[in-house]
Amino acid sequence: MDEDSQPTPPQDQGCWARLPDVCLRRVFWWLGDRDRSRAALVCRKWNQTMFSADLWRYRTITFSGRPSRVHASEFESALWYVKKFGRYLEHLEIKFLNPYNAVLTKKFQVTMRGLLSCLGKNNSRLKSLSVQHLELDRLVWRSSTRSSFLKSLSFFLKKVGKHLSCLSLKGARLTVEQGCGLLGALSHSRGESAVSQLNLEDFFSHHLAVYGSARFRSTMATFRGLSSLTLNYSCVSDELLEALCQSSAGTLRALNVKCHIHDPHGQVIWGMSWAKLARHATNLKVNFFFERVLKYERLVRILLPEVPVRSLSLRSCYFSDPDWSMRPTLTHLLPTFR
């Protein structure tokens, strides 16, 4: 500037400088990680806002099953995120998509060990945990890697079980012993679990007749106050319905049952067991999902008149039977649940 000119006052930053913190946090809530990190460098106020707890309560961590330049550091970044913001987490979802060799499953196991260890030490507010589609019975999971992962997850569930309200382990595909050990970790401290929503769809490996396991029934009896339960029909038995009647009759609202063609579903369940559960759990609605189980003879044995059915889904992918007809189901079975 010239000697006679006056210094120019700084330009007004506009409405952003006067935006209330609650509005600023709402704007930042829509940003991705890369944009958030850039916004944190703008000024001190934005940097402080970026560490607000409500920005980091929900998180989905996805591990791709195949390496690429884009996902080269996803294991490292996931661990970095949990160390930096894990104490704010309330709802965590973890996905491991189609690993193709044992090296990736080992790397995932090591990363999860560090991630769960950090969460167990620093987080006391986690309410919802979802770890889906692990498919631990696949050959890419070596026995030692699988055992180490289940040990880390079991130890973590022991620590957070007292305040965890929602758990989804869909697609884990475990043995009965492994699965019951993992579920038992939730009730380790007080003999019962505080979980109200539990998703065990495909939690056990196919071909396992879980309905005959006394250990599974006793494990499920520790879940008191369930409001929503999702599991396979291969887990359902008269004894399980009795356990739910005693432990969760006053709270149970939804029972989601999947019946797959490869799951054992030939067990006999008495209508009086369903009727007793429906009588005690007055708000219960049962949702059935059938995968390639379409024949009337099989459906009528499962869909008893005493079941308080709310919805029914019939999927016919890859189903080929020239003698099959939908007419008996439509004319004789479905009108029962009108």
Side-chain angles (χ1 to χ4, degrees):
M1 63 182 179
D2 299 335
E3 294 180 358
D4 297 335
S5 63
Q6 298 295 326
T8 304
Q11 296 181 354
D12 187 9
Q13 296 181 8
C15 61
W16 287 99
R18 298 186 298 272
L19 197 65
D21 290 348
V22 63
C23 297
L24 196 60
R25 288 196 298 269
R26 185 58 181 171
V27 173
F28 289 165
W29 189 85
W30 294 96
L31 299 180
D33 290 346
R34 186 180 298 273
D35 291 329
R36 285 184 180 183
S37 61
R38 291 173 178 173
L41 301 176
V42 171
C43 62
R44 180 177 298 178
K45 180 182 178 180
W46 284 26
N47 185 273
Q48 293 174 348
T49 304
M50 204 59 63
F51 282 86
S52 301
D54 51 353
L55 289 177
W56 310 100
R57 291 174 180 171
Y58 296 84
R59 188 68 176 183
T60 297
I61 300 177
T62 303
F63 301 97
S64 62
R66 295 182 179 274
S68 65
R69 292 182 179 180
V70 178
H71 303 94
S73 60
E74 60 185 5
F75 291 95
E76 292 78 8
S77 62
L79 192 55
W80 173 88
Y81 169 83
V82 171
K83 289 180 179 179
K84 196 171 186 65
F85 302 107
R87 62 185 181 274
Y88 304 128
L89 274 173
E90 295 183 9
H91 306 272
L92 175 62
E93 181 181 13
I94 296 174
K95 298 179 180 179
F96 189 31
L97 305 178
N98 299 320
Y100 75 101
N101 63 21
V103 175
L104 281 173
T105 55
K106 179 62 178 179
K107 193 171 184 179
F108 173 78
Q109 176 263 316
V110 172
T111 302
M112 286 296 296
R113 182 178 60 191
L115 187 149
L116 295 176
S117 176
C118 182
L119 276 180
K121 294 177 182 178
N122 303 324
N123 185 290
S124 60
R125 58 173 77 187
L126 190 66
K127 299 177 182 178
S128 173
L129 175 64
S130 175
V131 188
Q132 298 189 14
H133 305 296
L134 292 173
E135 299 180 357
L136 292 166
D137 58 353
R138 293 178 56 187
L139 295 178
V140 294
W141 288 92
R142 292 177 179 173
S143 178
S144 57
T145 304
R146 184 191 306 110
S147 299
S148 298
F149 171 75
L150 291 176
K151 183 178 179 180
S152 300
L153 184 56
S154 178
F155 185 75
F156 176 72
L157 292 178
K158 288 180 182 179
K159 302 193 70 173
V160 303
K162 57 184 178 182
H163 51 79
L164 193 67
S165 61
C166 180
L167 176 64
S168 176
L169 296 173
K170 177 181 177 180
R173 293 189 184 177
L174 301 172
T175 65
V176 176
E177 182 179 357
Q178 292 169 341
C180 291
L182 205 58
L183 295 175
L186 287 166
S187 58
H188 174 73
S189 58
R190 297 180 299 176
E192 62 182 42
S193 173
V195 171
S196 60
Q197 300 181 39
L198 184 63
N199 189 338
L200 300 180
E201 180 182 337
D202 295 332
F203 179 64
F204 296 101
S205 298
H206 291 314
H207 309 294
L208 291 179
V210 186
Y211 57 81
S213 171
R215 182 179 179 184
F216 173 71
R217 297 192 293 268
S218 61
T219 301
M220 291 303 300
T222 63
F223 289 90
R224 302 188 177 275
L226 282 174
S227 63
S228 175
L229 175 61
T230 302
L231 74 175
N232 290 54
Y233 189 75
S234 58
C235 300
V236 181
S237 63
D238 291 316
E239 292 79 7
L240 176 65
L241 298 180
E242 177 66 26
L244 292 176
C245 187
Q246 294 179 3
S247 62
S248 302
T251 58
L252 195 59
R253 299 290 185 274
L255 181 59
N256 307 307
V257 183
K258 176 183 177 181
C259 185
H260 193 277
I261 187 64
H262 295 309
D263 290 334
H265 53 272
Q267 71 271 36
V268 176
I269 300 178
W270 292 95
M272 64 181 67
S273 299
W274 282 110
K276 182 179 180 181
L277 179 60
R279 187 169 61 252
H280 287 80
T282 55
N283 296 317
L284 175 64
K285 299 299 180 184
V286 181
N287 306 299
F288 273 100
F289 304 89
F290 290 94
E291 293 276 354
R292 299 167 61 187
V293 181
L294 298 178
K295 290 188 176 182
Y296 175 77
E297 295 77 12
R298 295 182 176 181
L299 293 174
V300 74
R301 193 184 67 251
I302 297 174
L303 296 172
L304 303 177
E306 294 83 359
V307 183
V309 173
R310 180 182 185 181
S311 66
L312 184 63
S313 173
L314 301 172
R315 291 171 55 91
S316 59
C317 298
Y318 310 109
F319 183 84
S320 59
D321 189 339
D323 298 327
W324 174 76
S325 173
M326 190 69 181
R327 183 180 297 273
T329 301
L330 293 175
T331 58
H332 302 309
L333 183 58
L334 295 186
T336 304
F337 305 106
R338 184 176 299 161

